[in-house]
Amino acid sequence: VFLEFQLSRWLAQVLVFPETPEHIVDLMSVKPIVGILFGDPTGIGPEITAKLAASGKLSEHCRPLLIGDARVLAAGQKIAGVAFATVVVDDPREARWDGPVPLFDLKNFDPAEIELGKVSAQAGRVVGETVRTAIGLLRDGSIDGLTYAPFNKTALHQGGFPDDLHMMMDFLAWDGPVGEMNVLNNLWTTRATSHIPLKDVSAHLNAENIVRAIRMAYQTLVRAGVNPPRVAVCALNPHAGEGGLCGREEIDVIAPAIALAAREGIRALGPFSADTIFMNALRGKYDAVVTMYHDQGQIALKLMGPVGVTVIGGLPYAITTAAHGTAHDIAGQGKADPEALERAVIIAARMARSDKEKR
């Protein structure tokens, strides 16, 4: 009994009543700061951001900093039918998380100037400018990671910016390997080639591109807390080429690339036939799948569910988004689901926490 008493007394001192103020740990302070962008204001971005912020779930995963125009957020709250308190911060470094959600109000867009559900060059321009500001906050350490509600690529282009991936690279002056990774539940995918015609895929496959994709998948999963990740590599041809009877890409290009990655210490496996690789991945046999072209992975993932996440892999910062579009067809109707955006925040927080621990 005496030992139990002493143990309980010691635990109370350590966990509840430390001897000095230095022992007091603010659990919120150890969570990464994740900037949350509202996305294109003509779509569902402001609505799902408002729903997620109102749910209180943001603070479960990170210290959130809402970034954008307060009027856009208010419009999103009205559409969503939710209300929550915010506090405007003039300097993100002065944000606190012991009360209302901090908002860095950029005062750069009045949503009354656009029509919901319609592509807007003006909205695309403001989205690009907002991303530029958020990237600056990443670079100066004001935030640790970034999650954005969906952008509209046509609007970005009309507003004078490239797509979101190349926009991030431009603002960061980043010339290293970069690519999209798509995540559904615990399964991650990326690809050796992306937005090119199907007839050109074989010509663009080489060991360098495939190893780059394998390496990016491996390194990104490590940052997300999976260590060591198991990376499965997809074949290009039916039945993985049938030993050369149905194409030689597996023999001449893909298998040698896997061997090169393995020599770097990466747990890379394959090539496996495209008609079986995702069944085994879903059963938990692999953590990531590297496909040879865009739809080889995208069709499989989107059949599995609508709440995927896109991670901008390869960049020095944690940047994520929901893997769906601006959904102009339901914009303003209050029925958009914020689950994919929440999952994007969770992954950004995991990666940002890992990055902070390494610094």
Side-chain angles (χ1 to χ4, degrees):
V1 173
F2 175 76
L3 289 176
E4 289 179 357
F5 169 76
Q6 291 288 61
L7 178 60
S8 64
R9 182 181 178 185
W10 176 78
L11 286 172
Q13 290 175 334
V14 172
L15 298 179
V16 183
F17 304 113
E19 295 179 0
T20 63
E22 288 79 14
H23 289 88
I24 298 174
V25 177
D26 178 1
L27 294 179
M28 199 62 179
S29 70
V30 302
K31 294 180 179 179
I33 303 171
V34 176
I36 315 290
L37 304 189
F38 311 149
D40 191 300
T42 67
I44 62 171
E47 175 192 341
I48 59 176
T49 303
K51 286 180 177 177
L52 185 54
S55 72
K57 292 180 179 179
L58 283 175
S59 60
E60 294 178 9
H61 313 304
C62 65
R63 288 178 286 169
L65 176 68
L66 303 177
I67 303 171
D69 195 299
R71 293 168 294 183
V72 173
L73 181 62
Q77 288 179 286
K78 183 177 180 180
I79 293 168
V82 299
F84 58 91
T86 61
V87 57
V88 174
V89 293
D90 296 323
D91 184 341
R93 290 168 294 188
E94 297 174 355
R96 298 292 179 269
W97 289 271
D98 53 359
V101 183
L103 166 65
F104 187 34
D105 184 6
L106 300 185
K107 303 180 178 67
N108 60 352
F109 191 75
D110 183 354
E113 299 175 4
I114 50 92
E115 181 180 354
L116 285 174
K118 302 292 184 182
V119 172
S120 165
Q122 183 183 5
R125 176 183 56 78
V126 171
V127 165
E129 292 173 352
T130 302
V131 173
R132 194 198 311 272
T133 298
I135 291 294
L137 297 179
L138 279 172
R139 299 185 74 167
D140 70 16
S142 296
I143 59 177
D144 303 310
L146 181 65
T147 296
Y148 57 94
F151 299 157
N152 185 283
K153 288 181 171 57
T154 301
L156 279 173
H157 179 75
Q158 292 180 358
F161 295 95
D163 61 69
D164 37 353
L165 188 151
H166 290 92
M167 183 168 57
M168 307 282 181
M169 294 176 66
D170 288 347
F171 293 158
L172 286 167
W174 182 259
D175 58 0
V178 177
E180 289 184 355
M181 293 201 69
N182 296 106
V183 189
L184 185 67
N185 298 325
N186 293 319
L187 178 59
W188 297 58
T189 69
T190 190
R191 45 196 181 257
T193 67
S194 191
H195 298 113
I196 62 173
L198 189 58
K199 65 181 178 62
D200 297 332
V201 168
S202 180
H204 282 78
L205 285 180
N206 55 57
E208 180 181 357
N209 289 342
I210 297 170
V211 171
R212 182 186 299 121
I214 295 171
R215 187 185 298 124
M216 186 179 70
Y218 186 88
Q219 293 173 348
T220 305
L221 263 79
V222 169
R223 290 172 65 193
V226 182
N227 196 13
R230 301 157 298 171
V231 182
V233 182
C234 200
L236 174 68
N237 296 299
H239 303 168
E242 294 196 22
L245 295 176
C246 192
R248 291 194 55 86
E249 285 85 355
E250 288 76 17
I251 296 170
D252 297 336
V253 182
I254 304 174
I258 294 171
L260 286 172
R263 285 202 285 273
E264 295 183 9
I266 296 174
R267 196 175 177 187
L269 310 163
F272 300 120
S273 178
D275 62 359
T276 59
I277 192 170
F278 280 97
M279 287 191 297
N280 287 322
L282 271 178
R283 292 168 182 156
K285 195 171 182 179
Y286 318 121
D287 302 300
V289 174
V290 173
T291 62
M292 295 299 106
Y293 59 92
H294 184 278
D295 284 1
Q296 199 175 39
Q298 292 297 90
I299 292 173
L301 275 190
K302 292 186 178 183
L303 281 172
M304 295 175 197
V307 288
V309 173
T310 296
V311 177
I312 310 299
L315 293 178
Y317 301 101
I319 301 178
T320 65
T321 186
H324 58 68
T326 46
H328 278 162
D329 58 323
I330 62 169
Q333 298 178 28
K335 59 184 182 183
D337 189 340
E339 184 177 356
L341 188 65
E342 181 188 0
R343 294 189 184 193
V345 172
I346 292 171
I347 291 176
R350 283 166 54 188
M351 293 176 63
R353 185 181 301 111
S354 175
D355 293 342
K356 286 186 71 174
E357 290 172 354
K358 292 175 182 176
R359 285 197 287 266

